[in-house]
Amino acid sequence: MKRFWWLFFFLLFGFNSLVLGEEVVVKGIVVESDLEGKHYELKVTDSGNLSKPEPYYVLYGEHNWQSYVGKEVVVEGTIFEGYSIYMKPGLKVTAVSLPGEKGNRTFKENLPYYVGLVLVAGLFGYYIFLRYFKK
């Protein structure tokens, strides 16, 4: 029985970081900074699904950041784990959108969430079966 709870909590809380690769969605204002060279930062207004939000993140990625300066944007990407001369955490940006834009996710993009949901529901159902019906 102890193995079941360990597996249940692992799938429930560890599924996002191991399988999904810690993909984050953050809302903030793009700011231009000239400290240690010209670069762009995100001043966080809504931390989204970040576990330990910081007030500023350095933005990495091939985007036209100049066109977003001063605007509030929604950024999708992963946390940059490497070293940086800016001494701030960074985000490797995969997608940038304005908050008013509605982006529809496809089934393929949502598939890891569906798989996790089915795994957790299946394990819970199996636990109920073992607990109450198999005596």
Side-chain angles (χ1 to χ4, degrees):
M1 189 54 61
K2 291 180 182 178
R3 280 184 257 150
F4 169 76
W5 287 112
W6 176 83
L7 186 60
F8 178 74
F9 284 116
F10 171 73
L11 288 174
L12 189 63
F13 298 111
F15 187 74
N16 185 33
S17 62
L18 292 177
V19 176
L20 300 180
E22 298 184 28
E23 193 171 290
V24 295
V25 178
V26 184
K27 184 191 273 187
I29 299 170
V30 177
V31 180
E32 184 177 340
S33 177
D34 290 325
L35 183 66
E36 296 292 333
K38 184 178 178 180
H39 64 280
Y40 297 95
E41 298 178 358
L42 184 73
K43 181 180 180 184
V44 177
T45 57
D46 182 11
S47 59
N49 62 345
L50 285 171
S51 57
K52 296 178 184 174
E54 297 285 335
Y56 286 91
Y57 285 92
V58 177
L59 297 171
Y60 298 101
E62 299 296 323
H63 298 279
N64 184 9
W65 297 117
Q66 185 63 39
S67 64
Y68 294 112
V69 170
K71 296 179 183 175
E72 188 171 44
V73 295
V74 177
V75 173
E76 297 178 29
T78 56
I79 303 248
F80 177 70
E81 299 290 338
Y83 296 105
S84 172
I85 63 169
Y86 305 117
M87 302 303 287
K88 291 182 183 177
L91 288 174
K92 288 190 250 181
V93 179
T94 56
V96 180
S97 62
L98 297 173
E101 296 176 0
K102 175 115 175 147
N104 294 330
R105 292 178 62 109
T106 63
F107 176 76
K108 187 177 179 181
E109 291 172 332
N110 284 333
L111 186 61
Y113 297 103
Y114 296 147
V115 169
L117 182 64
V118 168
L119 283 174
V120 170
L123 285 173
F124 185 70
Y126 183 66
Y127 167 73
I128 295 296
F129 173 76
L130 289 178
R131 173 99 181 189
Y132 296 109
F133 296 110
K134 194 172 182 180
K135 287 188 177 183

